[in-house]
Structure formats: structure tokens, C-alpha cells
């Protein structure tokens, strides 16, 4: 389960002489939302039990729109960084009536004991905050290549490594993680996403691929099937270039092999400026209309909300880093005809606007022996929008491997 959203009502006493919710009152409301959220989960005892008091070190608030007495604001809380003694929580407040974004904020906390000395962040915090339908007990932190990555590991058997797209995290694979049988499912948050570390610099396809190769090493996995969605597919291509001997099979979902065009590269830079100036919310608003099929947008509003939260919860440094890594990625089309002998499944959403099914079919046709499948009523986010169908396709493919 994801951490609960909290609804709070704006009282006249919270407002200024002009009748707006006062900027200073936001701090109190954000704090109350955090307390309420913890109260409905592990409680504040999560910290007091371990004598680890979370002291606010830094606050960044953006005020997007005014709110007025009697407005009900819905607060969401996401853990965007989890270090040894510190953590960063991103919060947003949307008005329930019209879903307008009223304010967003980031709070950096340092855990200190009674003597004021920094102490470890309690274990249970990350488990509680990274819920989103995935059993938090299966998510662990692994330090590889100089960063701490969150990774969900489940089941026994040969390994399938899931690589998520941009700007998302490993929870897009929740149905497959939960329901695939006979395989060890490994799904990390790439650096810069989810609850993995998000350094300011140092992002490239080569770095993501090296992180994942090191992760396999750490988990003592010699060979794995790699399953990448969109940017995850770009990472899979990079792994084919660098650690081909570790790859037992390939599943390409909603992705392409070509590098960015000149125009595409310019669009990456524009998006990076947008993220820098306006934050992850602006990226989410720009991407959301294109990401999911009309059927998903119509029938699954809770899923649409969740995808938005996933995106708005992404650290800006991770977003900017990924945009640069995608802009500078190599052309992988020359790799495709050389994949002879490697089992490959290509999966496209029938209504994908970002990587259209026709383009993915053309790509599959250049890979010797590749199986191509389309999924009805799915856009770009096939494994989330059509979890059951996707899991079934993957299970069939995996069961057919030698
Ligand atoms: C993704 O879903 O990972 C992105 O759409 C990939 C891209 O922008 O090229």
C-alpha cells in the first residue's frame, strides 16, 4: 500500500488579510499532513522507539495557486532520498474540488538523538514510504558503483531483471513482480529515481548499465533476462554492448533502438530547463497526456493519479540526469541484426503515442527470430496499464526459454 494521502481543510485562521491561505501556514499544514500520514501507518513511534528525531534541515516551498477558507487540500508525501542519517520528503497539496496544484515542497530531515548527534534513519521509514502496492518487505538497499540503489527482489529461479522507464521507478512492474512464477524477479530503481540515491551529476547510459551489472554481481547473478521499458530498453541495449555475456534473453517494451534526432536532442534540453525552473510537476503535466491509452485514462483514474505521483515524486537531479543520458545515447540499430541466437520478445502497446506499435514491429523485424506482440488498450506504460496481459506474455516467453 502507498502511504495514505491526507485531506486537510483550510480554516479562516490559516488565512491572511486578503483571504488567501497564508504562506507561513503552509509549513504547519505540510507538517500536519506528515504526522497524519505516519499516524495512519507506523506512528511517530517509528522515530521515538529508535531515539532518532527527524530535525528539518532545509525546506523548499513553491506556491503555485491561492487557496481559500473551506478549500479541502489533498496532501501526498513521497520519500525522494534516503541516506544513512538523512532523508528528503517531497509533499504536494492539491485542491480536491478541481485538482489544482496549490503548493509543493521538499523537506530535508536529519535524524538526531537526544544529544543532537546524527543517527541512522529508522529502517521502517523507507518500507512504509515505498509501498505503492508492492510488498515493502521485498525492497532492500544495495550499494553499487558508489550509489545506494533500492531493489525489489522476489522469488527463486533464473533471474529476470526489470528496468523501468523515465521518469518512473520499479513499481511500474508491480504486477509482474507479484505474479510471474518460476523466476527470480529483480527490479531496481535506477539511480536518480524512486528511492535510490539521486546524485547531482554523473548520469549516462553507460553509468546505468554499469550500476545494473554491478547489481547482478552483488546478487550473485551470472546471467539474466533483461526486460526494459522505454528508457529501460536503452539501458538494456547498453548492457548488450558492455556485458553481453550476462544476458540470457531480452524483452523490449515500448522502446526504440535509434538515437535521438537533432530535434529530439533539443527537446531533451528544453525539458531539462523546464525541470530545473519548474520542477518535476511540470515534467509530469507535460508527459501525462501522452503516456497512457485513452481506455486507461477513462477507466483507471486511480492509476493515472498514481503515475502522476510517481513522476512528480522523481528527484529533479534524476530527471535532468536521465534527459542528458537519453540525449547522448548511442544508436543501437546496428546491434539488432547481430542478436542472432538471443531469445528476444518485443512488446508494444496498441495505443502507444511515444513508441508507436508500427515502429516497434519494424524494429522487431530486424532482430533475427524476435517475437513481436501487441497489447490492446495499452499506451506507453504497457505493464502498468495491462498488468495481467503483460505478465501472461512474459510468462509464455520465459517458459519457452531453454
Ligand atoms: C520513457 O518512457 O522512458 C521515455 O519516454 C523515453 C524517451 O523519452 O525516449
Amino acid at each position: 500500500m502507498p502511504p495514505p494521502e491526507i485531506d486537510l481543510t483550510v480554516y479562516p485562521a490559516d488565512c491572511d488579510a486578503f483571504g488567501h491561505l497564508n504562506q507561513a501556514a503552509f509549513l504547519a499544514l505540510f507538517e500536519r499532513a506528515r504526522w497524519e500520514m505516519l499516524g495512519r501507518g507506523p506512528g511517530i513511534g517509528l522515530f521515538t522507539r529508535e531515539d532518532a528525531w527527524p530535525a528539518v534541515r532545509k525546506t523548499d516551498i513553491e506556491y503555485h495557486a491561492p487557496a481559500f477558507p473551506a478549500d479541502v487540500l489533498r496532501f501526498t508525501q513521497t520519500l525522494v532520498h534516503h541516506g544513512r542519517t538523512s532523508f528528503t520528503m517531497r509533499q504536494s497539496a492539491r485542491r480536491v474540488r478541481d485538482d489544482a496544484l496549490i503548493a509543493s515542497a521538499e523537506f530535508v530531515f536529519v535524524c538526531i538523538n537526544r544529544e543532537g548527534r546524527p543517527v541512522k534513519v529508522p529502517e521502517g521509514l523507507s518500507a512504509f514510504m515505498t509501498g505503492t502496492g508492492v510488498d515493502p518487505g521485498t525492497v532492500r538497499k544495495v550499494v553499487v558503483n558508489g550509489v545506494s540503489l533500492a531493489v525489489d527482489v522476489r522469488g527463486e529461479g533464473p533471474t529476470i531483471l526489470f528496468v523501468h522507464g523515465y521518469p518512473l521507478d520499479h513499481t511500474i512492474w508491480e504486477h509482474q513482480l507479484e505474479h510471474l512464477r518460476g523466476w527470480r524477479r529483480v527490479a531496481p530503481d535506477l539511480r536518480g529515481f524512486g528511492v535510490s540515491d539521486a546524485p547531482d551529476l554523473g548520469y549516462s547510459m553507460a553509468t546505468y548499465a554499469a550500476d545494473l551489472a554491478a547489481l547482478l554481481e552483488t546478487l550473485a547473478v551470472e546471467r539474466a533476462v533483461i526486460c526494459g521499458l522505454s528508457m529501460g530498453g536503452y539501458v538494456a541495449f547498453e548492457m548488450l554492448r558492455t556485458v553481453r555475456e550476462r544476458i540470457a534473453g531480452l524483452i523490449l517494451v515500448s522502446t526504440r533502438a535509434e538515437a535521438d534526432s537533432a530535434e529530439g536532442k533539443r527537446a531533451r534540453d528544453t525539458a531539462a530547463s523546464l525541470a530545473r525552473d519548474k520542477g518535476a510537476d511540470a515534467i509530469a503535466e507535460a508527459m501525462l497526456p501522452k503516456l497512457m491509452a485513452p481506455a486507461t485514462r477513462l477507466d483507471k483514474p486511480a492509476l493515472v493519479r498514481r503515475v502522476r505521483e510517481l513522476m512528480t515524486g522523481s528527484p529533479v537531479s534524476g530527471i535532468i540526469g536521465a534527459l542528458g543520458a537519453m540525449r547522448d545515447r548511442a544508436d543501437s540499430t546496428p546491434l539488432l541484426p547481430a542478436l542472432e541466437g538471443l531469445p528476444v520478445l518485443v512488446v508494444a502497446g496498441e495505443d502507444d503515442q511515444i513508441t508507436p506499435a508500427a515502429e516497434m514491429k519494424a524494429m522487431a523485424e530486424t532482430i533475427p527470430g524476435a517475437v513481436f506482440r501487441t497489447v490492446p488498450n495499452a499506451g506507453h506504460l504497457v505493464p502498468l496499464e495491462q498488468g495481467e496481459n503483460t505478465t501472461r506474455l512474459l510468462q509464455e516467453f520465459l517458459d519457452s526459454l531453454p
Side-chain angles (χ1 to χ4, degrees):
M1 290 289 287
E5 297 176 331
I6 304 298
D7 288 354
L8 298 175
T9 304
V10 177
Y11 295 142
D14 300 323
C15 296
D16 59 23
F18 305 97
H20 300 121
L21 175 57
N22 182 251
Q23 51 83 23
F26 274 96
L27 277 180
L29 288 178
F30 277 121
E31 175 161 45
R32 201 178 324 148
R34 291 195 300 274
W35 273 81
E36 283 283 332
M37 173 195 70
L38 283 172
R40 295 184 202 176
I44 200 71
L46 175 75
F47 292 96
T48 48
R49 271 193 300 275
E50 299 191 27
D51 200 15
W53 194 251
V56 174
R57 172 91 210 296
K58 185 177 165 213
T59 304
D60 256 329
I61 296 194
E62 276 196 69
Y63 302 96
H64 300 278
F68 303 95
D71 278 350
V72 178
L73 303 185
R74 179 156 298 160
F75 288 80
T76 53
Q77 286 66 230
T78 317
L79 191 65
V80 292
H81 172 79
H82 186 295
R84 212 184 77 75
T85 58
S86 69
F87 64 93
T88 304
M89 200 174 289
R90 181 164 303 151
Q91 295 183 265
S92 66
R94 287 183 174 273
R95 184 164 38 222
V96 170
R97 169 167 52 83
D98 56 1
D99 204 33
L101 180 64
I102 304 298
S104 52
E106 241 179 50
F107 295 88
V108 179
F109 296 86
V110 177
C111 287
I112 50 174
N113 63 13
R114 276 163 222 271
E115 285 80 49
R117 273 200 294 276
V119 292
K120 228 166 121 288
V121 178
E123 297 281 346
L125 179 69
S126 164
F128 173 59
M129 298 294 301
T130 56
T132 48
V134 173
D135 176 1
T138 60
V139 177
R140 61 174 94 156
K141 286 295 198 101
V142 177
V143 176
V144 291
N145 226 7
V147 288
S148 167
L149 298 185
V151 54
D152 196 332
V153 182
R154 306 195 200 187
E156 292 302 328
T159 297
I160 175 165
L161 174 67
F162 289 100
V163 193
H164 64 80
Y166 157 92
L168 303 163
D169 69 20
H170 80 275
T171 59
I172 65 162
W173 304 108
E174 67 181 14
H175 195 281
Q176 295 70 45
L177 288 169
E178 182 72 31
H179 296 284
L180 274 176
R181 290 292 165 257
W183 285 74
R184 186 181 194 206
R185 288 92 67 194
V186 177
D189 289 341
L190 291 171
R191 66 166 66 203
F193 292 106
V195 287
S196 288
D197 278 355
D200 285 335
L201 299 171
Y203 294 85
S204 66
M205 287 303 148
T207 311
Y208 294 132
D211 289 352
L212 299 190
L215 176 65
L216 292 180
E217 190 80 40
T218 305
L219 298 176
V221 175
E222 248 174 61
R223 298 182 82 225
V225 171
I226 314 291
C227 175
L229 178 133
S230 203
M231 185 177 90
Y234 311 157
V235 178
F237 288 133
E238 188 62 29
M239 292 182 79
L240 277 172
R241 270 186 285 275
T242 52
V243 286
R244 171 80 173 77
E245 69 289 354
R246 284 189 171 277
I247 302 181
L250 184 64
I251 303 174
L252 298 169
V253 187
S254 313
T255 193
R256 56 166 55 90
E258 294 86 10
D260 276 358
S261 62
E263 190 193 339
K265 286 180 199 290
R266 278 195 296 277
R268 302 285 189 202
D269 292 337
T270 308
S273 305
L274 182 69
R276 205 171 287 116
D277 295 345
K278 302 241 162 79
D281 291 355
I283 296 289
E285 294 313 322
M287 286 189 71
L288 210 53
K290 288 179 286 185
L291 271 181
M292 283 169 275
T296 308
R297 292 205 301 271
L298 207 65
D299 302 338
K300 301 181 179 171
L303 178 62
V304 175
R305 264 202 309 279
R306 208 186 112 201
V307 170
R308 176 198 267 138
E309 275 156 27
L310 261 184
M311 294 195 285
T312 56
S314 293
V316 168
S317 55
I319 290 177
I320 294 174
L323 285 164
M326 290 193 284
R327 179 197 58 203
D328 298 336
R329 75 185 190 278
D331 177 14
S332 295
T333 49
L335 276 181
L336 305 183
L339 296 182
E340 181 95 58
L342 184 74
V344 180
L345 170 67
V346 177
V347 180
E350 237 172 45
D351 303 320
D352 188 350
Q353 296 178 49
I354 297 177
T355 43
E359 282 179 26
M360 293 208 54
K361 183 164 188 282
M363 174 177 77
E365 282 165 0
T366 67
I367 307 174
V371 177
F372 174 70
R373 294 276 181 267
T374 54
V375 179
N377 290 326
H380 195 55
L381 302 184
V382 187
L384 256 188
E385 297 181 66
Q386 292 299 331
E388 212 175 310
N389 282 351
T390 310
T391 304
R392 201 182 47 248
L393 282 182
L394 264 54
Q395 188 81 62
E396 273 166 23
F397 173 74
L398 294 170
D399 290 347
S400 75
L401 298 184

